[in-house]
Amino acid sequence: MRYNQISNALFIKNRTRFCYKMNSNTIAILTSNDVQHNNADDVMGFTQNNDLFYLSGIDQEETILVLYPEAYKKENREILFIKETNEHVKIWDGEKLTKKQATEISGVKRIEWIQDFEMVLQYMAFEADGFYLGHNEHAKRVTKNQQTQQDRMIAWCKEKYPLHDCFRAAKITRALRQIKSGVEIELIKKAADISVESFKRVLKTCKPNIKEYELEAELTYNLIKSGAKRHAFQPIVASGKNACALHYNTNDATCKDGDMILMDFGVCYANYNSDTTRCFPVNGKFSNRQKEVYASVLHCLKVGSKLLKPGVIPSEYEQQMASLIETELIKLGLLNAEDVLKQDPEKPLYKKYFMHGTAHHIGLDVHDVGLYSRPFEAGMVLTCEPGIYIAEEGIGCRLENDYLITENGNINLTEAMPIEIEAIEALMNN
C-alpha cells in the first residue's frame, strides 16, 4: 500500500459498533467491488467497496467479510476471506495478502481463502435467522443496467437460503460512517494537506495560453509524489466560460489572458478524501469584476460555514445559504431587489446564477453516505461550497473548504489552502 498502515484498532472498533446494531442471530456478509474492465484485456484501477474497507481495512479485490456475533463457535464470529496467491497470480500480478498480513491489517483472527466461502458459510448459515447484505445505497448513484458483486451476492443468498430474512447492511454503515473518528479525521486532513501543496504548484505554474490539462498535471504529479492513491474525482480545471458548466472536466481548453479559472479537485489518501475548490486569474491579477464576484462568494463561504454546527437541519442550512447568495446577487447587479420580493418562491430568481447545494458529507466517499434529514452532529465532516455563475460574462466562481463539526462550531480542515485575493495574487506573482 502507498499509505502508512492504519491501526487495526479502527476497524475492530467499527466492527464492534456495526455488530451492536445488527438484529439478533443474523450474519453480515460484505463483499469487495469488482475489478472493472475497460477494453480488450485492460482493467480500470481497483477501488474497494467502502463499507467493506470501513469494517476491515482490506484494500484488495476478491475479499468477503463475514460477521456472526452470536455464533455458537467463537471462531465463526469474524471470518475474512481473501484471494490466495497461487503460482499464476504470483507471476502475473505479484503477491497478494498472506493470512498473517490480513490479520495484521484488519484485526480479524480467522482468515480463509475466498474459494472456501460457500462451504464455510453453509456450516453456520442454518443456525442463523437472516443475513445483512451490502449494497451501494446512494441518492445520486444510478444503478440502472449495472450489476455489482453486491448484487450477485444478494441474488445468490436468496437462491441458496430462500427462507432466511434479508436486511440492509448499508442502513447501519450509513449511520456509523457519518461520524468520523480521530483516526479518520487525520486521514482526511492528510488528503487535504496534499491538496494544499498541489494548489500552490498550480498557482506558480499558471500563465496565459497554458492548457487546462497542464494544470491538472501539476495536481496529478504532487498527489502521486505524496503517496496519495488517486484523485478523489476527475478534477475540474475550468477556465473562462467553462467554469459555468458545473461538472466540466475535459480540461482541454487554452487558458486565456484575462480569464479566471475555477479548479475543483480532491485527493484520495488511504481511501479517505478531500474536496476543495479555488478560483484564480490566468494572468495572476483579478479584474475588478472578477474581484467583485469572488468577494461575494468568499463572503458567503465565511458566513455560511459558521452555520455548520450541531443541531442544524441540513435543509434549513441550505435555505440560509441561498439567502446569503441571493443578497450578493442583488449587490452585484444581477438581480433586482423588487423582483426578488415578488418572485415565485417555487422558482427563485437566484437559480439562474446559483443552482446547486452547498454542503455534502465527505470521508470514504467524496459525496459520503448519510441522510440529509439527520441534523448536523459533532464528528461529521462536510464541505461548504457556495458559487455564482454568470454565463453571459464568462465568469464562474465557486469556493469550497472541508469542515469538521465540533461541539463548539467547526474547524476548517483546509484552512492552509490560500483563498484571500491578496494571497493568491502574491503567490502567482512571486
Side-chain angles (χ1 to χ4, degrees):
M1 61 184 73
R2 293 184 177 184
Y3 52 87
N4 294 329
Q5 185 171 316
I6 304 167
S7 169
N8 62 29
L10 172 65
F11 310 114
I12 292 170
K13 183 177 180 180
N14 289 347
R15 290 195 297 274
T16 299
R17 294 165 66 219
F18 181 93
C19 289
Y20 180 77
K21 291 182 174 291
M22 290 173 63
N23 289 341
S24 179
N25 199 35
T26 53
I27 297 172
I29 304 174
L30 285 299
T31 72
S32 59
N33 281 340
D34 291 309
V35 175
Q36 298 288 345
H37 284 77
N38 192 348
N39 288 297
D41 60 348
D42 189 28
V43 296
M44 303 178 189
F46 175 71
T47 300
Q48 186 57 286
N49 177 275
N50 281 329
D51 281 345
L52 175 64
F53 185 85
Y54 182 77
L55 296 172
S56 71
I58 300 297
D59 208 357
Q60 181 173 285
E61 74 281 8
E62 295 185 45
T63 301
I64 299 176
L65 175 67
V66 172
L67 302 174
Y68 188 7
E70 296 177 61
Y72 176 73
K73 293 183 177 181
K74 189 175 181 179
E75 64 267 25
N76 290 342
R77 293 175 186 173
E78 291 187 342
I79 311 173
L80 187 64
F81 297 85
I82 62 172
K83 184 175 182 177
E84 183 178 11
T85 303
N86 55 34
E87 282 304 308
H88 179 81
V89 170
K90 185 176 180 179
I91 291 170
W92 288 93
D93 298 324
E95 300 274 2
K96 298 298 178 179
L97 291 174
T98 65
K99 289 185 176 183
K100 181 181 178 182
Q101 289 172 327
T103 292
E104 290 173 351
I105 293 170
S106 67
V108 176
K109 292 183 173 59
R110 184 179 177 186
I111 311 294
E112 301 288 351
W113 301 127
I114 190 75
Q115 61 265 28
D116 297 323
F117 165 72
E118 292 186 24
M119 178 186 67
V120 172
L121 179 65
Q122 186 164 323
Y123 282 140
M124 55 186 179
F126 293 114
E127 296 179 11
D129 296 320
F131 298 112
Y132 275 88
L133 301 172
H135 198 261
N136 190 359
E137 297 185 10
H138 198 285
K140 294 185 179 181
R141 169 70 186 269
V142 179
T143 57
K144 183 180 179 182
N145 298 328
Q146 297 182 29
Q147 187 185 63
T148 65
Q149 179 63 37
Q150 290 77 39
D151 294 323
R152 292 191 292 277
M153 179 61 73
I154 291 169
W156 180 82
C157 284
K158 288 184 175 180
E159 179 182 1
K160 184 75 173 179
Y161 304 102
L163 300 182
H164 281 62
D165 294 324
C166 290
F167 304 97
R168 294 155 51 209
K171 188 174 181 180
I172 298 177
T173 54
R174 180 180 65 201
L176 296 177
R177 281 173 52 186
Q178 282 188 276
I179 307 297
K180 272 61 178 182
S181 67
V183 172
E184 292 178 294
I185 292 164
E186 287 303 312
L187 293 170
I188 296 171
K189 185 67 167 64
K190 173 65 175 178
D193 290 344
I194 295 172
S195 291
V196 171
E197 293 308 311
S198 297
F199 180 56
K200 290 178 179 178
R201 287 185 63 91
V202 167
L203 291 183
K204 293 176 181 178
T205 303
C206 189
K207 59 185 178 181
N209 298 318
I210 198 170
K211 290 288 189 178
E212 293 167 342
Y213 57 72
E214 292 182 76
L215 301 179
E216 179 185 349
E218 296 295 329
L219 300 177
T220 304
Y221 170 82
N222 190 63
L223 75 85
I224 292 175
K225 181 176 179 292
S226 302
K229 192 172 184 180
R230 59 179 179 272
H231 291 288
F233 50 90
Q234 180 64 31
I236 296 168
V237 186
S239 60
K241 63 181 178 61
N242 294 335
C244 294
L246 298 182
H247 289 162
Y248 169 89
N249 60 19
T250 52
N251 303 343
D252 57 2
T254 300
C255 301
K256 299 175 182 177
D257 192 358
D259 278 350
M260 186 169 70
I261 296 171
L262 183 157
M263 190 167 74
D264 189 339
F265 63 108
V267 166
C268 179
Y269 178 83
N271 287 15
Y272 284 85
N273 299 281
S274 65
D275 183 5
T276 46
T277 307
R278 292 293 186 268
C279 295
F280 50 97
V282 171
N283 60 15
K285 187 171 179 59
F286 290 94
S287 70
N288 290 335
R289 183 56 167 171
Q290 288 168 354
K291 281 184 178 180
E292 289 177 348
V293 177
Y294 190 102
S296 285
V297 176
L298 183 56
H299 170 77
C300 293
L301 176 67
K302 289 180 175 179
V303 175
S305 62
K306 293 177 182 178
L307 302 173
L308 294 173
K309 54 187 179 181
V312 173
I313 305 295
S315 60
E316 295 176 0
Y317 157 83
E318 292 290 356
Q319 289 174 0
Q320 292 180 74
M321 285 296 296
S323 294
L324 281 171
I325 294 173
E326 185 178 68
T327 299
E328 293 303 312
L329 291 173
I330 293 171
K331 290 180 182 178
L332 291 168
L334 296 168
L335 294 182
N336 180 281
E338 292 185 6
D339 291 341
V340 169
L341 288 174
K342 301 173 185 176
Q343 70 185 346
D344 181 351
E346 297 298 318
K347 298 178 180 179
L349 298 177
Y350 70 77
K351 287 283 188 179
K352 178 180 178 181
Y353 301 103
F354 167 65
M355 60 294 289
H356 59 77
T358 63
H360 62 77
H361 293 278
I362 188 166
L364 285 170
D365 287 300
V366 176
H367 292 164
D368 212 9
V369 295
L371 292 177
Y372 286 89
S373 55
R374 180 178 178 177
F376 296 146
E377 299 175 35
M380 291 181 174
V381 178
L382 294 109
T383 63
C384 182
E385 49 180 310
I388 292 175
Y389 311 90
I390 315 170
E392 60 268 29
E393 297 182 31
I395 295 176
C397 182
R398 180 168 66 252
L399 298 172
E400 178 182 20
N401 286 325
D402 302 335
Y403 296 89
L404 166 65
I405 297 180
T406 72
E407 294 292 351
N408 302 311
N410 64 57
I411 298 171
N412 181 3
L413 299 179
T414 46
E415 187 174 12
M417 185 176 291
I419 197 168
E420 298 292 340
I421 288 175
E422 296 78 9
I424 289 174
E425 288 185 341
L427 277 169
M428 296 188 75
N429 293 286
N430 185 1

